[in-house]
Amino acid sequence: MSRGYNLLFVLVTFLVLVAAVTAQGNRGSNNGGGRRPRFGFYGNRCRNVESIVKSVVESHVRSIPANAPGILRMHFHDCFVRGCDGSVLLAGNTSERTAVPNRSLRGFEVIEEAKTRLEKACPRTVSCADILTLAARDAVVLTGGQRWEVPLGRLDGRISQASDVNLPGPSDSVAKQKQDFAAKTLNTLDLVTLVGGHTIGTAGCGLVRGRFFNFNGTGQPDPSIDPSFVPLIQAQCPQNGGTRVELDEGSVGRFDTSFLRKVTSSRVVLQSDLVLWRDPETRVIIERLLGLRRPSLRFGAEFGKSMIKMSLIEVKTGLADGEIRRVCSAIN
């Protein structure tokens, strides 16, 4: 009995040790292969991660309101190129930041400041990709949008190439937009809802001037635009001047459904936005988001759902293709 008991004890002890090592390996894999984004990911390892990011974003948005749409746009541009891995934050002569669509991005200093503060509070714990994702949510909330919970646990990518940047364009057809979003596992509801984020922010005059002065080489404005809207934009973006124009004229600083209502009346500056009202499928979604058709959809809630889906595009979960950067503008 004594000998059998001892053998049993040794076996049990061995199995316990194996289980302990395996558990430790799994915990370690939260910084590697076993890491998966989830709510409450950081737990006690960085309990104040959300409050720190929010504090930094709030300070910068109060100082420069344009940082709110800037951060939201940056998150979109990050996720649509190599996934939500913070690759858009990397600096370099040929990095994503140098691609034409990204040269007007703003808010890099906001993410870097949040990273600096988090490195002091929780060294080598929170990824830049997670910081950008949280900052985008906070930017929406600070402009009046509805809050949503953000799953965390992304790793930062090590690759950032301007040649990889191929984003949806301001003149894209609905079919092209649907195709681009579907390629990122986003459906048509996500497409329309996320485009609704144009309720804050501006567009460069170079992107819109042609529609208001010489549409398709006709020498005339796009006939589908509300005629009373044309002179307003022509004044802000004259043929030989102007810089930027509001995407949601008169309500650019407020996250609401005002932009979608302007889509229904053809008072938007981007052709890719206007065409959403002509397509039967996207038109129905706009009507539901505005409460014009049943069953209605709540824009704030749907925007949060779509942002969560977008934030999980091609996330990095293993050390083979990801890391926790020390600074957001450079790989370790």
Side-chain angles (χ1 to χ4, degrees):
M1 288 288 292
S2 177
R3 183 178 181 182
Y5 176 83
N6 287 338
L7 288 173
L8 178 62
F9 177 80
V10 171
L11 178 60
V12 170
T13 302
F14 174 77
L15 292 174
V16 168
L17 288 173
V18 169
V21 171
T22 301
Q24 181 62 38
N26 287 339
R27 284 195 293 272
S29 68
N30 280 340
N31 295 318
R35 185 181 182 118
R36 291 291 185 276
R38 64 179 186 271
F39 300 117
F41 176 86
Y42 292 107
N44 292 329
R45 290 180 298 143
C46 197
R47 187 169 293 278
N48 296 324
V49 55
E50 296 202 29
S51 61
I52 290 173
V53 173
K54 178 184 177 183
S55 174
V56 173
V57 174
E58 186 171 18
S59 173
H60 281 268
V61 169
R62 283 181 174 176
S63 175
I64 305 176
N67 276 323
I71 293 169
L72 179 60
R73 180 172 175 240
M74 188 193 301
H75 181 46
F76 178 87
H77 284 216
D78 184 43
C79 291
F80 265 64
V81 180
R82 305 189 68 87
C84 307
D85 64 351
S87 55
V88 74
L89 301 168
L90 289 170
N93 293 334
T94 60
S95 72
E96 292 175 27
R97 288 169 67 163
T98 66
V100 173
N102 290 338
R103 292 176 188 171
S104 59
L105 290 179
R106 64 183 307 153
F108 292 102
E109 71 284 356
V110 183
I111 309 304
E112 205 65 72
E113 181 180 330
K115 178 62 173 174
T116 299
R117 289 184 55 178
L118 284 166
E119 282 299 299
K120 293 179 180 178
C122 327
R124 301 303 301 279
T125 301
V126 182
S127 68
C128 298
D130 275 350
I131 295 171
L132 178 54
T133 306
L134 285 169
R137 188 272 309 275
D138 294 338
V140 169
V141 174
L142 287 168
T143 51
Q146 183 173 323
R147 189 180 187 278
W148 65 90
E149 295 299 319
V150 176
L152 301 172
R154 299 161 191 79
L155 288 175
D156 296 321
R158 297 190 182 96
I159 300 173
S160 181
Q161 301 174 144
S163 58
D164 290 333
V165 177
N166 184 22
L167 297 163
S171 300
D172 285 350
S173 65
V174 176
K176 179 64 165 58
Q177 293 181 68
K178 288 180 181 179
Q179 177 183 334
D180 288 344
F181 274 69
K184 300 299 180 182
T185 70
L186 300 172
N187 59 33
T188 305
L189 174 57
D190 297 318
L191 160 63
V192 176
T193 303
L194 291 172
V195 168
H198 285 170
T199 185
I200 57 175
T202 60
C205 283
L207 295 178
V208 306
R209 192 178 287 114
R211 289 190 66 227
F212 288 83
F213 286 98
N214 186 25
F215 182 64
N216 289 342
T218 62
Q220 299 295 323
D222 181 349
S224 63
I225 303 172
D226 179 347
S228 67
F229 187 55
V230 172
L232 295 177
I233 304 305
Q234 288 179 335
Q236 295 176 55
C237 290
Q239 294 193 41
N240 297 310
T243 54
R244 303 190 69 81
V245 62
E246 296 177 350
L247 289 168
D248 186 4
E249 187 264 329
S251 182
V252 70
R254 183 73 181 172
F255 201 93
D256 53 22
T257 58
S258 172
F259 168 79
L260 290 176
R261 293 190 183 281
K262 290 183 174 67
V263 172
T264 70
S265 57
S266 301
R267 295 178 66 87
V268 289
V269 297
L270 299 181
Q271 186 175 358
S272 57
D273 294 339
L274 182 62
V275 294
L276 295 176
W277 188 240
R278 300 179 193 167
D279 179 83
E281 184 181 13
T282 52
R283 182 180 184 129
V284 166
I285 294 173
I286 293 173
E287 290 174 336
R288 293 180 65 193
L289 288 169
L290 291 174
L292 303 175
R293 179 189 289 263
R294 294 183 181 276
S296 62
L297 297 167
R298 291 191 302 126
F299 174 62
E302 294 302 325
F303 191 83
K305 293 177 186 177
S306 293
M307 285 291 286
I308 291 173
K309 287 180 65 176
M310 186 182 77
S311 77
L312 297 175
I313 294 174
E314 301 169 34
V315 295
K316 307 296 184 290
T317 59
L319 292 178
D321 59 359
E323 63 182 7
I324 302 292
R325 294 185 208 137
R326 295 182 178 87
V327 295
C328 292
S329 59
I331 61 175
N332 294 336

